[in-house]
Amino acid sequence: MARMTGRRALFAVPVLLAVTFGVFAIAAASPFDPVKAYAGTAGLTASQENLDQLRRNLGVDQPLVQRWWDWLTSAVHGDLGDSSTLRQPVSDVIGERIGWSVLLAATAFLLAILVGTALGVLAARRPGGWLDRAVTSLAYTLEAAPPFWIGLLAVWLFALKLGVLPSGGLTDTASSAVTAGQVASHLVLPAAVLAISQLPWFVLYVRQGVGDALGDDPVRGARARGLAERTVLLGHALRSGMLPVLTLIGSRVPELITGALMVETVFSWPGIAAATVSAATAVDFPLLAALTVLATAAVLLGNLLADLLYGLADPRVGFDG
Amino acid sequence: MRARSIRGTGAVAAAASLAVAASACSAPGDGKNAGGAKDSAVVGIAYEPDTLSPLLGYGKDGNSKIFDGLLTHDAEMKLKPALAAELPKVGDDGKTYTFKLRKGVKFSDGKPFTSKDVVFTYETILDKKTNNAAKTELDAVRDVEAKGDDTVVFHLKYPYAPFAERTVLPIAPEHIAGKQDVNTGQFTTKPVGTGPYKLVKWSKGEKLTFKANPGYWGGAPKVKNFTMAIIKDDDIRATRLDAGELDGAILPPNLAKKYESDGNKKSYAAKTFDYRVVTLPTGNKVTGDTGIRRALDTGVDRKAMVDSILDGAGKEAYGPVPTDSPWFTKGTERKHDLAAAKKILDKAGWKPGKDGIREKDGVQATFPLWYLSGDKLRQDHALAYASDAKKLGIKVEVQAGTWEVIEPRMPKDAVLAGGGSPADPDFDQYTLLKSSLAGDGFNNMAHYDNPKVDKALDEARESGDHAKRQAAYDTIQRELVKNPGYTFLTHIDHLYVVDKRFGDLTTQTEPHDHGLASGPWWNVEDWQPKQ
């Protein structure tokens, strides 16, 4: 187990290197000009001399490889550089925002796993029953619905028509203090929307896994021994039926991140979404690279976690066998 | 009962009764407000600042809520003293400006404001290492000198009449900002100034919250808590205004319209210098032709653009100076006259060719017109312009692109541009029309080149005499009739909707830029909210 973790960590190094270089290369090839983005409307009246000076100050006149290397060496020493779009150190940008993104994503993910498993088990109990048909078709419909669309729909229904939940932000617009109660009520809609967008995969996987397991020999044996239906379902079928779901947890992480970006935008959630978008369009190299490293690391960690869980749940699988 | 006070119960069974309660609560006249307290105001704005540091350009046109400049503008955009005790004394033939400073002013952290802070602010902005994209505006400054604690003298490189207008830019405290990296230090997000409000928190992408500065030299504001919610999407801003989360907001004309009949809200149309213009580059054989330029100037239907594109919220533009400004030269209005426009083209030798497009010396009267992609207002202007031009036999090909695509084409292709700065006619016109600035960044995009205009521009900026300046700007506006390098189309009103409990508010004449403190809340520190 430790060996697998170590091996994966080693493997992550070249992957992260390649990804950051890729980000610098793509950003350098993009048609956006970081100096224009930095100057904003003031750039429209600035003299060429002023713009050239800015270009030198921001260091964007350096060749691509040089800039990547400079960024990398200082990042290794713990200095992530300064974000040109937000005029503050990248570590501050991420520090201020990532907590809110993690809160949103973790809440949604947990919700999706819990509700997804429950619905999946219920559906698997009576394959072809009305509950199964309802849950499955709902899952397929949601699978096709983009998160931002569900988000807009939710704002319209709960904030505008019913007026029961706030339409956006982290706290009430007028309040300056961030209290747990306010954050909780503002979290409901975005987390629910993000959870719903992740839900179908869990429902369908659990339904299939548990359904298959219900037909397996161990489960049939358990039933034959006269164990209660509840014990059979949760103790035997769910346990083996959950295995594919564990893999799913790892592979859903990238979807979760992109989904969170869209949901954050719809609900003005002060996470890293807005920073990511502005970093990309303004060719803010240091911020863009740091955020990409974070996202890549999250995906690699998700996969590792899934494999570890898999090994723990079913010792026959082993670790990187 | 407010709908949102019971939010979060989440019970499905309650949803139906909640719906009834919610709709009852949002009925007009129930007196609810976003802040919940009468001394607070919440407004929705569309743009988020990049920085709150004046050293990087924040608040350079004055009227920052956190800071004060040496001077500031009143409702009529007249200069009046702020951190300066009086208007500056101009000496040395317009090359020195001497400011006496107001006594007893403190920054909101309690430290006194002195001449050193003024010198620090200007010197830092002019420093090459400071990433301030607007520093070109202070080109005239040679150096800034403190004489004792309460006098500051600006020495200019050349006589510059509108210089006092530049001193509205906010003064930063040296004892805080001077100890940090000017480009990325904490001061860029946690500013401290002498202004009527203190920043409580800037939650990026979400909102800026301010608290009244009780020790403000101009008197403590009545509105104690002030919030600017950053909501980029127009529809969402209108939605949150409806939901009672906002007391006021900036809105586009089509969304602002529905509040005209709302008993609780008042609409304000701020007059602006914000123009939309088509550049006619001198380097293009078609747009560089005076006949074509004059024909377009006469043949374009500005009134129709104001009525249909702006829903009446704006006025026809004949130059950077709006028709209701005292600097406008009466008699330079151009009547929309298709027949006259065609006559100009005939006279200039542009004869109708095949497909109805005019030709002269083998050149077809056709040129591309670029607008910034995603900007609906510019797109509408560009399409209307092309359709008017078509009636004259001039084919304008409208194309969308980002500035990166457009910029290299500016010397040859026409661009639908915007701009406008109300403080002084020099600010717009010098950079727009001076031939030596052609192609310098985004200055003189049309590469306009007219010696008479060049001469008048210099006279206007150097002379401290108002009558001489007015005469020079009259000359420029008349020259623009004879040889227009740009077709000015409209000046656009900015529309705002604000809760009536704040009483009758005013707006300033606004620039092209939507500054943070544009709109009726330009003087929120003077608001007198009703019960």
Side-chain angles (χ1 to χ4, degrees), chain B residues 286-287 289-297 345 348 350 365 367 394:
Chain B
V286 180
T287 58
D289 185 280
T290 313
I292 295 272
R293 293 174 172 200
R294 286 188 50 220
L296 285 168
D297 209 25
L345 286 170
W350 292 92
F367 62 91
I394 301 169

Side-chain angles (χ1 to χ4, degrees), chain A:
Chain A
M1 201 172 157
R3 274 180 55 204
M4 177 167 110
T5 315
R7 210 166 34 237
R8 293 289 186 87
L10 270 179
F11 174 67
V13 174
V15 170
L16 287 174
L17 281 180
V19 166
T20 55
F21 186 75
V23 167
F24 273 80
I26 291 170
S30 85
F32 297 113
D33 181 356
V35 176
K36 291 269 149 51
Y38 183 92
T41 43
L44 299 183
T45 50
S47 66
Q48 195 59 49
E49 186 196 346
N50 193 181
L51 292 173
D52 291 344
Q53 182 67 46
L54 262 181
R55 190 173 296 277
R56 280 193 295 278
N57 287 1
L58 295 173
V60 287
D61 52 345
Q62 305 281 328
L64 161 68
V65 177
Q66 170 85 43
R67 302 178 52 192
W68 174 70
W69 186 249
D70 287 349
W71 176 83
L72 193 69
T73 43
S74 51
V76 167
H77 291 102
D79 176 13
L80 292 174
D82 298 318
S83 159
S84 61
T85 43
L86 297 162
R87 273 82 160 160
Q88 64 186 131
V90 169
S91 46
D92 286 6
V93 176
I94 293 175
E96 275 171 16
R97 293 159 185 256
I98 194 144
W100 300 123
S101 285
V102 169
L103 175 69
L104 173 65
T107 311
F109 209 41
L110 212 63
L111 207 63
I113 294 175
L114 291 180
V115 178
T117 308
L119 285 177
V121 170
L122 284 177
R125 264 178 71 188
R126 306 250 184 287
W130 67 268
L131 190 67
D132 181 30
R133 289 207 304 272
V135 168
T136 319
S137 49
L138 182 70
Y140 281 122
T141 314
L142 286 179
E143 208 173 6
F148 71 86
W149 181 77
I150 304 177
L152 289 175
L153 212 63
V155 169
W156 173 79
L157 182 64
F158 292 100
L160 270 188
K161 286 286 148 192
L162 302 179
V164 289
L165 287 166
S167 61
L170 185 64
T171 54
D172 281 350
T173 324
S175 93
S176 55
V178 179
T179 61
Q182 289 232 341
V183 174
S185 68
H186 281 73
L187 180 64
V188 175
L189 270 191
V193 167
L194 188 55
I196 284 172
S197 74
Q198 298 296 315
L199 197 61
W201 281 269
F202 291 102
V203 171
L204 296 173
Y205 266 68
V206 171
R207 177 187 165 274
Q208 190 66 42
V210 173
D212 289 351
L214 279 174
D216 281 352
D217 286 344
V219 173
R220 297 227 305 263
R223 274 207 176 122
R225 275 181 278 132
L227 292 178
E229 181 66 19
R230 202 183 138 85
T231 319
V232 173
L233 196 66
L234 299 180
H236 294 77
L238 182 59
R239 184 167 170 155
S240 58
M242 276 301 278
L243 280 180
V245 177
L246 295 180
T247 327
L248 188 66
I249 290 179
S251 64
R252 291 313 298 167
V253 170
E255 280 278 346
L256 186 71
I257 293 174
T258 51
L261 295 189
M262 290 197 243
V263 170
E264 281 184 13
T265 313
V266 172
F267 290 96
S268 322
W269 189 256
I272 49 174
T276 310
V277 174
S278 61
T281 53
V283 205
D284 185 347
F285 288 88
L287 184 56
L288 199 57
L291 290 173
T292 317
V293 167
L294 269 181
T296 315
V299 172
L300 292 174
L301 270 177
N303 283 330
L304 176 65
L305 185 72
D307 289 348
L308 289 177
L309 286 175
Y310 213 101
L312 286 177
D314 189 350
R316 285 172 303 171
V317 176
F319 298 104
D320 266 17

